[in-house]
Amino acid sequence: MAFQPIVDVEARRVFAYEALVRGQDGESAGQVIADVAADQMYTFDQTCRVLAISTAQRLGVDCHLSINFLPNAVYEPATCIRLTLAAAEKVGFPTERLIFELTEAEKIRNPEHALRIVRDYQKRGFQTAIDDFGAGYSGLNLLADFQPHYVKLDMALTRRIDRESVRQAIVGGVIGTCTALGCQVIAEGIETREELETLRMMGVKLFQGYLLARPQVEALPEVDYQAIEA
């Protein structure tokens, strides 16, 4: 597992670490998942959760841990969450720190089933997020069907936002919608200080991207706070 921080730039602290699966030769999550057979996806999803939690505990993560889950691989939410809880209890990781990210980049084959999973997690007190918002299949429909705690703006929306008024208008609308719904916005893929400062002025406080820290395998990368203040 690799870890990348989600940073609260106002408080100058790491709000959460996102756990990201990597191949043995450094392959990305997309490359790894592409090689998983359909009938092994559930086992793969569960293995990643357990590994993310155990590795985070071993590395001393003392904030939130954000874990991606594959809605097409989750059969029964109650069954899978029991395995997740057991893994957290075994290593002593506080379950109240877990955030489950539903990626918008994956086409959901059964939307009703995916929503049932998310609502089950929310009823159990877990925090939820829509990942890759603005670059996937569902867009505002997914946000309308359930209101997550966090919406992660995809880099397709945040890239060059300091120079493009169209992106500013679209993201401004998303931020306004999320504020009305009580969802907090996280900006992904931030690579320049100008992007970060533009989004800060628009009201975003949580950021993730290479400007702050790159993902590191089996380690918690240090945040480059000087990049914010440069």
Side-chain angles (χ1 to χ4, degrees):
M1 302 303 295
F3 294 87
Q4 186 177 28
I6 298 170
V7 181
D8 183 333
V9 297
E10 301 294 333
R12 296 294 192 273
R13 67 179 178 88
V14 176
F15 167 76
Y17 287 97
E18 181 178 2
L20 302 162
V21 66
R22 291 290 183 266
Q24 292 187 350
D25 295 320
E27 297 92 342
S28 68
Q31 291 174 298
V32 174
I33 293 172
D35 291 334
V36 179
D39 62 350
Q40 292 297 314
M41 197 62 73
Y42 174 78
T43 301
F44 173 79
D45 180 79
Q46 293 301 305
T47 301
C48 288
R49 291 188 193 200
V50 172
L51 184 60
I53 292 169
S54 61
T55 307
Q57 179 67 9
R58 174 167 54 82
L59 295 176
V61 170
D62 59 358
C63 56
H64 288 91
L65 175 65
S66 193
I67 300 174
N68 292 277
F69 76 92
L70 305 172
N72 294 331
V74 181
Y75 300 147
E76 280 300 325
T79 301
C80 5
I81 206 62
R82 279 199 298 269
L83 295 173
T84 305
L85 292 172
E89 183 178 357
K90 181 178 179 180
V91 299
F93 191 87
T95 56
E96 63 270 16
R97 293 183 188 167
L98 295 176
I99 301 173
F100 291 100
E101 294 188 20
L102 171 65
T103 178
E104 193 200 346
E106 179 184 7
K107 185 172 179 61
I108 299 172
R109 293 193 295 267
N110 187 338
E112 291 184 2
H113 178 59
L115 290 173
R116 186 163 63 88
I117 295 167
V118 173
R119 287 168 180 154
D120 182 87
Y121 286 3
Q122 290 176 332
K123 287 178 181 178
R124 295 173 187 272
F126 293 109
Q127 297 188 61
T128 57
I130 296 178
D131 192 17
D132 305 313
F133 187 85
Y137 292 91
S138 304
L140 292 173
N141 286 335
L142 189 59
L143 183 58
D145 287 333
F146 83 97
Q147 289 73 57
H149 297 86
Y150 309 99
V151 170
K152 301 183 74 176
L153 296 175
D154 188 80
M155 66 177 66
L157 289 177
T158 60
R159 189 62 40 80
R160 303 183 306 277
I161 192 169
D162 56 299
R163 291 174 282 157
E164 298 187 9
S165 59
V166 172
R167 279 182 165 75
Q168 292 173 20
I170 293 171
V171 170
V174 173
I175 292 172
T177 300
C178 289
T179 299
L181 296 175
C183 308
Q184 195 163 0
V185 172
I186 300 172
E188 293 185 292
I190 302 303
E191 293 190 354
T192 69
R193 182 173 179 269
E194 290 76 17
E195 291 169 352
L196 187 145
E197 286 301 325
T198 299
L199 288 159
R200 282 181 73 178
M201 288 188 291
M202 297 175 71
V204 179
K205 296 181 179 180
L206 300 176
F207 293 86
Q208 183 177 8
Y210 286 179
L211 176 69
L212 300 165
R214 291 174 177 266
Q216 288 188 16
V217 176
E218 296 287 311
L220 302 180
E222 292 188 14
V223 177
D224 184 5
Y225 289 107
Q226 290 184 345
I228 305 173
E229 301 167 351

